[in-house]
């Protein structure tokens, strides 16, 4: 496995691989790898000749009061894990390499799918995501790119960008990986104290209760949303950010529960913001 820090070198390697007829799978990450990332790499490994994993904590997608400075970083450990999972190239540029002095070009998906949920709580976040993702696509020339379902809104917005801009990359969304007790894996879980770690379980528990309601026949999205909200609101240590019950394809509002449905929530446990979701077809 090679670690590449320069855009020009990564681009040269990718273009060369494409000329040789090799298929490239990109796994974009911000590092601090966990089993969720490794499952993306394993899926990509099965479907492509070459795997590139990007490891870049993208300053553009963090708000001024968010955790960019403290976001966990351990590139040496990441490189070992990536290599044993079958990554061929790690692309790990610096912020200056990605956004040099005078950088001023941004990619922004607009409309309802970015105005709700994380887009509402984190203004500018998805503009940062789509900008870096398109740059990564242009640098690494992937045939396929792999995103986790935990960031369901991100995957939907990236897919929309790719469709609208005719970007020749297939977006593949891989299932959420959870701890045995149900907590979705996230690099931010490392921020949780042992007490907060237990309190955080209210998030998957509330979403599962919403899903169970639907499986028992509830068709009113508002009732499901209220049920999830009431569980979270009465859970110790949890501060609610949002709960949504929306269309799982485009995050549009539902008048009734039917087809692809996404139950999504974000909460603060102490200072840590956690997101989770359950998608189902009714
Ligand atoms: O999901 C993430 O880790 C990031 O948002 C991504 C896609 C790597 C872009 O920085």
């Amino acid at each position: 496995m090679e670690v590449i820090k320069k855009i020009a070198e990564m681009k040269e390697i990718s273009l060369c691989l494409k000329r040789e007829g090799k298929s490239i799978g990109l796994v974009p990450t911000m590092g601090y790898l966990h089993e969720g990332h490794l499952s993306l790499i394993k899926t990509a490994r099965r479907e492509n000749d070459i795997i590139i994993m990007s490891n870049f904590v993208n300053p553009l997608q963090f708000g001024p009061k968010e955790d960019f400075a403290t976001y966990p970083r351990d590139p040496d450990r990441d490189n070992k894990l990536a290599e044993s999972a079958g990554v061929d190239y790690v692309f790990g540029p610096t912020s200056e390499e990605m956004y040099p002095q005078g950088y001023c070009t941004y990619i922004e998906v607009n409309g309802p799918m970015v105005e709700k949920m994380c887009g509402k709580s984190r203004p500018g976040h998805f503009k940062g995501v789509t900008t870096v993702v398109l740059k990564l696509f242009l640098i690494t020339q992937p045939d396929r790119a792999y995103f986790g379902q935990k960031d369901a809104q991100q995957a939907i917005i990236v897919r929309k960008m790719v469709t609208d801009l005719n970007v020749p990359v297939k977006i593949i969304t891989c299932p959420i990986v959870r701890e045995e007790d149900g907590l979705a894996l996230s690099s931010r879980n490392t921020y949780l104290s042992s007490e907060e770690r237990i309190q955080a379980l209210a998030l998957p528990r509330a979403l599962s209760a919403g899903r169970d309601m639907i499986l028992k026949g509830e068709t009113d999205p508002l009732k499901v949303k209220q049920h999830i909200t009431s569980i979270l609101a009465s859970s110790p240590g949890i501060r609610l950010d949002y709960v949504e019950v929306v269309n799982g394809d485009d995050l549009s509002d539902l008048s009734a529960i039917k087809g692809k449905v996404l139950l999504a929530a974000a909460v603060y446990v102490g200072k840590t913001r956690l997101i989770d979701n359950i998608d189902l077809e009714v």
Side-chain angles (χ1 to χ4, degrees):
M1 189 186 82
E2 275 186 65
V3 179
I4 314 288
K5 290 183 182 301
K6 294 290 176 198
I7 291 174
E9 193 186 349
M10 187 72 257
K11 220 167 148 184
E12 180 59 35
I13 291 170
S14 317
L15 289 170
C16 199
L17 290 164
K18 297 305 298 175
R19 277 195 295 272
E20 288 168 9
K22 299 267 186 358
S23 63
I24 298 178
L26 171 69
V27 181
T29 80
M30 298 205 300
Y32 217 71
L33 301 189
H34 50 63
E35 284 298 328
H37 299 110
L38 298 180
S39 85
L40 301 182
I41 296 169
K42 279 175 203 150
T43 307
R45 185 66 281 170
R46 285 196 297 272
E47 299 176 352
N48 301 276
D49 299 321
I50 300 290
I51 306 303
I52 302 176
M53 182 191 92
S54 61
N55 187 346
F56 177 60
V57 184
N58 174 32
L60 268 194
Q61 68 189 73
F62 289 80
K65 292 192 182 139
E66 292 183 353
D67 57 343
F68 174 68
T70 54
Y71 195 83
R73 292 161 169 89
D74 192 345
D76 292 339
R77 175 180 164 274
D78 289 342
N79 289 343
K80 285 187 196 119
L81 288 170
E83 184 161 28
S84 48
V87 169
D88 299 291
Y89 297 93
V90 169
F91 176 54
T94 60
S95 290
E96 295 69 34
E97 179 74 3
M98 289 294 269
Y99 306 117
Q101 191 78 33
Y103 185 91
C104 57
T105 302
Y106 302 92
I107 300 295
E108 191 167 18
V109 173
N110 290 296
M113 73 170 62
V114 284
E115 283 160 10
K116 53 176 64 167
M117 298 163 59
C118 294
K120 192 168 175 191
S121 324
R122 304 183 69 191
H125 168 68
F126 289 116
K127 181 176 168 185
V129 169
T130 42
T131 299
V132 80
V133 167
L134 189 63
K135 275 174 78 74
L136 291 169
F137 286 178
L138 293 169
I139 295 164
T140 63
Q141 302 285 315
D143 297 273
R144 300 176 191 85
Y146 296 80
F147 293 84
Q149 170 66 18
K150 189 172 82 66
D151 296 293
Q153 189 174 16
Q154 166 173 279
I156 287 170
I157 289 170
V158 167
R159 189 169 277 130
K160 182 72 179 137
M161 170 188 76
V162 159
T163 305
D164 285 356
L165 296 179
N166 312 106
V167 182
V169 178
K170 185 162 186 220
I171 304 302
I172 292 157
T173 310
C174 301
I176 297 178
V177 179
R178 296 180 182 279
E179 304 272 13
E180 259 183 38
D181 59 11
L183 189 68
L185 294 190
S186 163
S187 305
R188 288 191 170 98
N189 290 352
T190 52
Y191 296 150
L192 300 170
S193 68
S194 45
E195 192 190 358
E196 289 168 345
R197 173 68 185 69
I198 294 166
Q199 292 170 335
L201 291 174
L203 181 55
R205 203 169 46 236
L207 290 167
S208 301
R211 180 197 42 211
D212 292 348
M213 228 179 145
I214 294 174
L215 293 177
K216 282 188 191 138
E218 182 58 63
T219 57
D220 183 347
L222 204 63
K223 283 196 182 145
V224 178
K225 185 172 161 170
Q226 279 162 351
H227 187 53
I228 298 169
T229 304
S230 71
I231 294 174
L232 289 171
S234 61
S235 298
I238 298 285
R239 187 159 58 86
L240 194 62
D241 181 353
Y242 68 76
V243 174
E244 285 294 349
V245 177
V246 287
N247 180 300
D249 281 324
D250 60 7
L251 308 180
S252 59
D253 293 338
L254 294 170
S255 50
I257 289 183
K258 201 172 174 9
K260 269 192 160 185
V261 180
L262 183 76
L263 317 183
V267 297
Y268 287 91
V269 189
K271 286 190 175 144
T272 307
R273 185 174 180 279
L274 298 177
I275 58 172
D276 196 358
N277 67 78
I278 292 179
D279 62 335
L280 68 162
E281 182 110 34
V282 188

